[in-house]
Amino acid sequence: MGNERILVTGGAGYIGSHTIVELLAVPGIEVVSVDNLSNSDPAVFGRIARICGREVRNHVIDLCDARALDRMFANEAPFSGVIHFAAFKSVPESMADPRKYYHNNINSLLNILETSVRNGVPKFIFSSSCSVYGNIERMPVSETTPLGRAESPYAHTKQVGERIVGEYARAHPALAAISLRYFNPVGAHASGQLGEDPINPPSSLVPVITRTAIGKMARVTVFGTDYPTRDGSCIRDYVHVSDIANAHVKALDRAARNGTGVEVFNLGTGTGVSVLEAIAAFEQVSGMRLPYELGQRRSGDVGAIWSDTTRSREALGWKAERDLLAMMGTAWAWERHRSEEK
């Protein structure tokens, strides 16, 4: 790779910002961001600049506004690749307000795909999710595991999104597309200066843990203790956000070499960790006792899921490098830095 111009949608977001850092570490790559800042802080671009020593332009536009997107392309194109992160992602919120999720996640994807094809973008990387698998009984799940019923509107938008990306790649042979199914991204940049920082109250486990530890939330609620798992709590495949970010660099390279069609890859560690085990890992790293309570199951959650990473290792040339303690340690370092910063 080199001498490339990459558009990152949702560049101020958690995974988007870490991916920009990984992209800027590759000589010859220039990055342009689009983010309407609906759930992110523009200060993230200052953090990226301090880490990388390079500025990134962000266009504050809504991808559901096709005309605004056209104007941005007219000013910034050509792009050699698009990485599409921009989407709403809270399972509980999607259960409460499904229209918001279908409107935003589907329309923004259609607009960015259509604009990319019209402007001759050859590579498209789609931010998908392990939630597309639904409640699966046999573990681990591989890319060939049949998709189950989506347990939330958010998950359904990712199922539909993958189908849309695949159909666009089929209809436009010049487009090489890859859908990356993230399991549970956690942690923060090794510098402690960049991490998960949603404007809206977090629903993901690790930022709830760190905000509780710093005193900004009263306690962690463990949603469900009667799942058929080893300790009754949900099991997830937690993977470090910087490992996830690195996979996008490899996906761009893979799309360039593959040249056409669509591929799908799981991004996880291949190991399931329960909610209670994740809390224990944080306590080990921080030396703290974390206040938590046992609650009822949360609507839209699946009981257990973890990945088969064979295909991402063999075809994408990627594997997760950081363990659970590193995930928790960097997340805690970021929370403390964020608290001092604000």
Side-chain angles (χ1 to χ4, degrees), residues 33 38 84-85 116 205 266 287 326 328 335 339:
S33 169
S38 62
H84 179 55
F85 294 106
S116 296
L205 176 64
N266 284 340
M328 292 299 179
E335 187 66 61
S339 182

Side-chain angles (χ1 to χ4, degrees), residues 166-308:
E167 295 294 352
Y168 260 80
R170 179 192 58 79
H172 303 281
L175 181 67
I178 290 178
S179 289
L180 297 176
R181 292 175 179 166
Y182 315 149
F183 278 68
N184 287 73
V186 297
H189 189 265
S191 66
Q193 297 182 55
L194 183 67
E196 190 165 7
D197 190 20
I199 290 175
N200 299 318
S203 59
S204 299
L205 176 64
V206 174
V208 171
I209 285 175
T210 59
R211 289 190 182 190
T212 300
I214 207 78
K216 294 180 178 177
M217 297 180 71
R219 65 186 60 84
V220 178
T221 300
V222 179
F223 292 105
T225 58
D226 59 349
Y227 287 100
T229 61
R230 53 185 171 265
D231 60 19
S233 66
C234 289
I235 289 180
R236 296 291 183 266
D237 186 342
Y238 296 101
V239 55
H240 198 284
V241 64
S242 293
D243 285 330
I244 292 278
N246 176 259
H248 291 77
V249 179
K250 293 185 179 295
L252 286 170
D253 184 59
R254 171 76 179 180
R257 289 185 284 110
N258 200 42
T260 188
V262 64
E263 292 186 296
V264 177
F265 295 99
N266 284 340
L267 298 183
T269 64
T271 300
V273 174
S274 77
V275 172
L276 292 173
E277 289 166 348
I279 290 172
F282 177 80
E283 290 180 333
Q284 180 181 341
V285 165
S286 66
M288 302 175 63
R289 291 290 294 173
L290 194 72
Y292 67 87
E293 63 181 4
L294 306 180
Q296 299 298 311
R297 293 187 184 193
R298 185 171 59 178
S299 181
D301 281 345
V302 300
I305 189 166
W306 64 91
S307 63
D308 180 336

Side-chain angles (χ1 to χ4, degrees), residues 13-34:
Y14 178 41
I15 306 175
S17 60
H18 285 79
T19 298
I20 288 175
V21 169
E22 294 293 320
L23 289 168
L24 292 178
V26 180
I29 287 188
E30 181 183 0
V31 175
V32 175
S33 169
V34 168

Side-chain angles (χ1 to χ4, degrees), residues 58-217:
N58 180 61
H59 294 264
V60 184
I61 62 173
D62 187 338
L63 293 181
C64 291
D65 184 344
R67 291 183 178 179
L69 187 56
D70 284 340
R71 289 193 295 269
M72 187 279 297
F73 263 76
N75 290 328
E76 295 282 7
F79 295 108
S80 55
V82 169
I83 304 178
H84 179 55
F85 294 106
F88 295 140
K89 65 174 186 176
S90 167
V91 168
E93 185 184 50
S94 78
M95 299 294 287
D97 191 357
R99 182 194 176 279
K100 175 180 179 179
Y101 275 67
Y102 285 114
H103 171 75
N104 181 77
N105 292 6
I106 301 302
N107 287 333
S108 62
L109 174 60
L110 288 169
N111 285 344
I112 189 63
L113 268 170
E114 186 62 29
T115 307
S116 296
V117 167
R118 192 165 59 248
N119 285 272
V121 175
K123 297 178 290 188
F124 191 91
I125 312 301
F126 177 58
S127 170
S128 190
S129 164
C130 68
S131 64
V132 299
Y133 291 111
N135 259 314
I136 301 296
E137 293 184 3
R138 181 173 295 180
M139 298 292 163
V141 293
S142 74
E143 293 83 352
T144 59
T145 297
L147 304 188
R149 176 185 178 275
E151 293 295 316
S152 67
Y154 163 73
H156 194 213
T157 66
K158 291 302 183 182
Q159 288 183 341
V160 173
E162 284 195 12
R163 177 68 180 268
I164 290 170
V165 171
E167 295 294 352
Y168 260 80
R170 179 192 58 79
H172 303 281
L175 181 67
I178 290 178
S179 289
L180 297 176
R181 292 175 179 166
Y182 315 149
F183 278 68
N184 287 73
V186 297
H189 189 265
S191 66
Q193 297 182 55
L194 183 67
E196 190 165 7
D197 190 20
I199 290 175
N200 299 318
S203 59
S204 299
L205 176 64
V206 174
V208 171
I209 285 175
T210 59
R211 289 190 182 190
T212 300
I214 207 78
K216 294 180 178 177
M217 297 180 71

